[in-house]
Amino acid sequence: MSPSADPVTLHNRVLAELGPSIAAGAYAAGHVFTLDRLERDYGVSRTVAREAVRVLESMRLVVSRPRTGVRVLPREEWSVFDPQLIRWRLAGPDRMDQLRSLTGLRAAVEPVAAAAAAQRATAPQRARLTDLNRRMAAFGEAGDLDSFLRLDIEFHRMILELSGNEMFAGLSDVVAEVLRGRTAHDLMPDHPRPEALRLHAHVASAIDSGLPSVADAAMRAIVTEVVEALDGLDAYAGTGP
Amino acid sequence: MSPSADPVTLHNRVLAELGPSIAAGAYAAGHVFTLDRLERDYGVSRTVAREAVRVLESMRLVVSRPRTGVRVLPREEWSVFDPQLIRWRLAGPDRMDQLRSLTGLRAAVEPVAAAAAAQRATAPQRARLTDLNRRMAAFGEAGDLDSFLRLDIEFHRMILELSGNEMFAGLSDVVAEVLRGRTAHDLMPDHPRPEALRLHAHVASAIDSGLPSVADAAMRAIVTEVVEALDGLDAYAGTGP
DNA sequence: CCGACACATTGGTCATACGATTCAGAATAT
DNA sequence: ATATTCTGAATCGTATGACCAATGTGTCGG
């Protein structure tokens, strides 16, 4: 389905095991690996171990220094916008914190993006968005969560891209991970809430009509609802005192 | 000065040449390198060439496939939030587009972060921010642009961190790059504009007083001013028709 | 004209060796 | 006893050469 899936190479395999462990906090900041250790643990050659480490280093999960080894960096150093790292963390124990942070980001960006889209979208783009919304609603009402998710992702992606801001567009993978993460980890009801469907329709309609402030408000309502849903879960499975 | 500067290794050297070229668009999407070619061009071994490619691949600038080679990906695929990629692009010909996108992102995020900071900051944090602002203003009035820049970066970083949202905090390096980029590429006046200094003081004061909506508005004014400054430069060196 | 098969090209992986760096601890001088 | 210098081990950094696996290309036969 994905246009360019990562090839299943050995270093990707190592990365797929080592990355999530570190992201999950299995090794405290300051913990040190040696390459030799990684070679033996994963049964790979120095070449492969080094390439995996090199990628982890580029996301600032670790630093590699002679005589010291490969040291795990504190969380604050991590490149938290790396989609791969986000995926790893959403699969791990910080899932809820991660979702909360990401939702805060969405709340800041998506309304602005929707407003920009309402100003810039061309006629065929508006039509496509409207149609997308219509099909999305149909799947939502039918309770086909998988198809709904697929179109929901596409809906948000399209708006972020229509904003004309490359950085906003660059968040579409992040938003997709969040939406996917919510469904994959059973944080979604059986049917999307009707209120949410209506709000999505409002966004599509506002963009179609070229009303930036309405698009902003409707999108803001969507993400606000998500924030509240997360807080609700918190009260339910509270980690607090 | 930097707590953990990247070591000057051979693969970092290759990366520092190859990365900016690709980021600058010197190779069209679809252009193909071979590892052999890279080895000869940079006079390095396969090991080193591969590691550089692996990092470029992790930022989705290229994909590497057997029998094909290392193919440059279209811009839309790039991990535009990677601080290293941002630095490369700010040094290249897309500088203005890049600054515009990044400023749009700042405009969406920083006001929200300032509001959150006004709600959450502890007393000593508020004091430190106020002091930071005072010293910043002094350097600004004295026309010491380097010191001003350093504190300006720290000011914005502190607010993003005080927001309590990890993703916002993760943007502090990006914002730092933007601020540094503006100064390094002569997009700043000799003295910071007094209006800008006043607005920064308002932000600090609003956070100190625990007034989220005031902090939001003042920060919004700061970034709005930056947006307008950029548009002004556009009119000046217009690329349009 | 079309399809099947052999071949050449290219990245992926491995094993090994040596160099460069740096931290630790011993040896030495004060 | 303390400070300083030096020696050495540990570890990453880099290079080399070889082989494997996958895949596009071109040829040959129908």
Side-chain angles (χ1 to χ4, degrees):
Chain A
M1 183 69 46
S2 214
S4 57
D6 289 342
V8 270
T9 53
L10 258 190
H11 49 258
N12 277 336
R13 215 209 70 208
V14 172
L15 205 54
E17 293 202 38
L18 195 51
S21 320
I22 298 177
Y27 306 95
H31 183 267
V32 171
F33 302 94
T34 65
L35 276 181
D36 214 57
R37 180 76 201 187
L38 294 176
E39 292 172 37
R40 267 179 287 119
D41 283 357
Y42 293 97
V44 297
S45 71
R46 187 182 188 72
T47 315
V48 169
R50 277 184 59 81
E51 286 179 22
V53 166
R54 197 89 188 94
V55 172
L56 294 177
E57 198 173 22
S58 92
M59 15 182 140
R60 306 197 60 76
L61 256 61
V62 303
V63 282
S64 173
R65 286 167 46 91
R67 173 62 191 170
T68 308
V70 178
R71 198 172 73 250
V72 175
L73 287 174
R75 272 181 164 58
E76 308 87 69
E77 293 284 333
W78 297 358
S79 291
V80 288
F81 280 86
D82 190 303
Q84 191 161 41
L85 178 53
I86 289 173
R87 213 171 312 128
W88 291 343
R89 296 183 73 184
L90 282 177
D94 319 343
R95 182 184 312 147
M96 291 308 294
D97 282 343
Q98 178 79 156
L99 273 178
R100 219 185 322 281
S101 302
L102 290 170
T103 303
L105 180 68
R106 289 185 60 194
V109 169
E110 290 203 74
V112 179
Q119 279 187 315
R120 299 175 31 101
T122 66
Q125 288 169 338
R126 292 168 204 269
R128 230 192 105 216
L129 186 69
T130 303
D131 181 60
L132 193 53
N133 177 253
R134 193 185 46 69
R135 285 184 290 144
M136 192 175 104
F139 282 128
E141 282 157 16
D144 181 348
L145 276 191
D146 284 344
S147 303
F148 176 77
L149 172 62
R150 193 165 41 79
L151 294 187
D152 192 19
I153 287 173
E154 206 177 328
F155 182 80
H156 287 273
R157 179 185 302 275
M158 188 170 180
I159 290 171
L160 287 168
E161 283 172 1
L162 289 181
S163 73
N165 183 312
E166 188 188 31
M167 300 306 289
F168 291 172
L171 282 176
S172 55
D173 281 342
V174 171
V175 172
E177 287 301 337
V178 174
L179 298 177
R180 245 182 243 118
R182 282 195 308 172
T183 301
H185 300 301
D186 292 326
L187 302 175
M188 288 284 287
D190 287 354
H191 276 61
R193 293 186 46 200
E195 177 68 9
L197 291 181
R198 273 199 295 278
L199 285 172
H200 277 76
H202 271 290
V203 171
S205 159
I207 292 176
D208 187 41
S209 312
L211 298 171
S213 58
V214 178
D216 183 301
M219 184 62 96
R220 202 169 293 275
I222 290 177
V223 283
T224 300
E225 199 200 35
V226 177
V227 169
E228 283 165 4
L230 278 180
D231 289 347
L233 282 178
D234 258 6
Y236 196 57
T239 57
Chain B
M1 183 68 48
S2 212
S4 58
D6 289 344
V8 271
T9 53
L10 259 189
H11 46 256
N12 277 336
R13 216 208 71 209
V14 173
L15 206 54
E17 293 203 38
L18 195 51
S21 319
I22 298 177
Y27 306 95
H31 182 268
V32 171
F33 301 94
T34 65
L35 274 182
D36 214 56
R37 180 77 202 184
L38 294 177
E39 292 172 36
R40 266 179 289 120
D41 283 357
Y42 293 96
V44 296
S45 71
R46 187 184 188 72
T47 316
V48 169
R50 280 181 58 80
E51 286 179 22
V53 166
R54 194 62 58 234
V55 173
L56 293 176
E57 197 173 24
S58 92
M59 10 184 145
R60 306 198 59 77
L61 257 60
V62 303
V63 281
S64 172
R65 285 169 46 92
R67 175 62 194 175
T68 307
V70 178
R71 197 171 72 251
V72 175
L73 287 175
R75 271 180 165 58
E76 308 87 69
E77 294 283 333
W78 297 357
S79 290
V80 289
F81 279 86
D82 190 304
Q84 191 161 42
L85 178 53
I86 289 173
R87 213 171 312 130
W88 291 343
R89 297 183 72 184
L90 282 178
D94 320 345
R95 182 183 314 146
M96 290 308 295
D97 282 343
Q98 179 79 159
L99 272 179
R100 221 183 320 280
S101 302
L102 289 170
T103 303
L105 180 68
R106 289 185 61 195
V109 169
E110 290 203 74
V112 179
Q119 279 187 316
R120 301 174 29 101
T122 65
Q125 288 168 338
R126 292 168 204 270
R128 229 193 106 215
L129 187 69
T130 302
D131 181 60
L132 193 53
N133 177 252
R134 191 185 47 70
R135 284 184 291 143
M136 191 174 106
F139 282 127
E141 282 158 16
D144 181 348
L145 276 191
D146 284 345
S147 303
F148 176 77
L149 172 62
R150 192 164 41 79
L151 294 188
D152 192 19
I153 288 173
E154 206 178 327
F155 182 80
H156 288 273
R157 178 185 302 276
M158 188 171 179
I159 291 171
L160 288 167
E161 284 173 0
L162 289 181
S163 74
N165 183 313
E166 187 189 31
M167 299 307 290
F168 293 172
L171 281 177
S172 56
D173 281 342
V174 172
V175 171
E177 287 301 337
V178 173
L179 297 177
R180 246 181 243 119
R182 281 195 310 170
T183 301
H185 300 301
D186 293 327
L187 301 175
M188 287 286 286
D190 286 354
H191 277 61
R193 294 187 45 202
E195 177 68 10
L197 291 181
R198 272 198 296 277
L199 286 172
H200 278 76
H202 272 291
V203 171
S205 158
I207 292 177
D208 187 42
S209 312
L211 298 171
S213 57
V214 178
D216 183 301
M219 184 63 95
R220 201 169 293 276
I222 290 177
V223 284
T224 299
E225 199 202 33
V226 177
V227 168
E228 283 165 4
L230 278 180
D231 289 347
L233 281 179
D234 259 5
Y236 196 56
T239 56

